[in-house]
Amino acid sequence: MSFWFAKSAKTFKPKKNIPEGTHQYDLMKHAAATLGSGNLRLAVMLPEGEDLNEWIAVNTVDFFNQINMLYGTIAEFCTPENCPVMSAGPKYEYHWADGKAVKRPIKCSAPKYIDYLMNWVQEQLDDETMFPSKVGIRFPKDFLQNAKVILKRLFRVYAHVYHQHFPQIVSLGEEAHLNTSFKHFIYFIQEFNLIEKRELAPLQDLIERLTNKDSSRS
Amino acid sequence: DAHPYKGAIVSTEAYKFFMEQHVENVIKRHKERDERRMNMERKMAQMDLSDEMRDHMLQFLYQKESMYLRLRRAKMDRSQFDHL
Ligand SMILES: [Zn+2]
């Protein structure tokens, strides 16, 4: 399974020596509103007696649906002209490869990348051998490794939306909804250690702010 | 020219409504699941049960909860296609 990571590692290209502080990013730094939401930190924990894979599966489908809807609200702004590359701020750029059908990373526009990504995730979720939906069928041995790849890729959609489309999110009044969705996602991946820290770098400041705010309140 | 993204365009209102309901449901499901387990433990404490029997009853509850998660996931996949 290290195959998956080795392949996808090449699709992630941190660019060095570019100053932070695009307008979008500054805006994002100052808006950390969330929905009044009870304790999501507790709600992500594995319920007593539950199978870890079952819990990760149901949550992964949940996050996929949320991200699908989120992107659907700003897709009209995310055009090949506005977003000629799939980026998360000036420092990070993603090229598409899935390690199977597309082995050599493709440099493409953000909407094309996200189309590839969401279709690829949908295929994984629909694969009965990977995400069994019938009662009594077990998860495959490599389920957790595959779920990690799915979540790592879904994170990139959040990263792109935050870095490139936050002004539109604010003008649509969606920032509290997006922040809540993302905070839930981060709590979840932190609880089970599902995404490597370097993959989270494009939103590291936001992650710290969103998750610290809560721990100081409770 | 067609937009490269072939997924659905979603209205802001639909997304906001979905997220508000969703977060409420996450919290509610968490609470209710906790309550079901605590109720079961309270009931068992009132009965004079062997450790083996208590364990058996808890396992039965856990299995039911797990099955409920799987059925919910199967349903989510389908509803996904409905609104696309
Ligand atoms: Zn874009």
Side-chain angles (χ1 to χ4, degrees), chain A residues 122-138:
Chain A
Q122 182 78 65
E123 275 169 32
Q124 310 302 303
L125 302 182
D126 289 344
D127 182 349
E128 277 289 320
T129 62
M130 193 54 65
F131 282 79
S133 68
K134 294 186 184 70
V135 175
I137 311 285
R138 283 172 188 242

Side-chain angles (χ1 to χ4, degrees), chain B:
Chain B
D1 341 356
H3 197 284
Y5 178 70
K6 301 284 177 273
I9 298 295
V10 176
S11 80
T12 302
E13 289 69 32
Y15 172 65
K16 288 188 207 169
F17 181 74
F18 172 83
M19 276 310 302
E20 285 159 20
Q21 294 288 301
H22 179 73
V23 169
E24 235 175 73
N25 284 332
V26 167
I27 300 297
K28 199 172 101 192
R29 277 195 299 264
H30 168 75
K31 264 195 202 147
E32 287 176 353
R33 184 166 178 163
D34 255 9
E35 279 165 14
R36 283 192 294 272
R37 187 177 48 81
M38 289 189 299
N39 278 342
M40 171 84 107
E41 279 175 352
R42 210 174 297 129
K43 269 188 215 157
M44 290 194 304
Q46 287 165 1
M47 294 186 272
D48 192 21
L49 294 175
S50 67
D51 285 355
E52 200 187 330
M53 192 59 201
R54 293 163 64 98
D55 199 49
H56 189 74
M57 286 179 72
L58 271 179
Q59 288 306 323
F60 182 71
L61 175 69
Y62 293 158
Q63 268 175 26
K64 225 168 64 176
E65 296 282 5
S66 195
M67 192 173 79
Y68 167 70
L69 280 189
R70 183 159 295 197
L71 294 173
R72 190 162 73 79
R73 180 159 53 81
K75 221 168 76 191
M76 283 186 328
D77 278 345
R78 267 202 311 278
S79 65
Q80 167 72 14
F81 278 115
D82 289 348
H83 70 238
L84 286 189

Side-chain angles (χ1 to χ4, degrees), chain A residues 71 74 77-79 82-83 85-87 110-111 114 160-161 164-165 168:
Chain A
Y71 187 72
I74 54 105
F77 308 110
C78 190
T79 60
N82 293 338
C83 304
V85 291
M86 175 64 177
S87 57
I114 290 171
H160 178 73
V161 169
Q164 313 304 135
H165 298 288
Q168 284 127 17

Side-chain angles (χ1 to χ4, degrees), chain A residues 8 13 19 40 53 59 68 90 102 120 130 166 179 199 215:
Chain A
S8 53
K13 296 198 171 163
L40 285 171
N53 288 346
N59 279 284
N68 216 1
V102 185
W120 176 83
M130 193 54 65
F166 203 69
N179 286 338
E199 287 284 340
S215 56

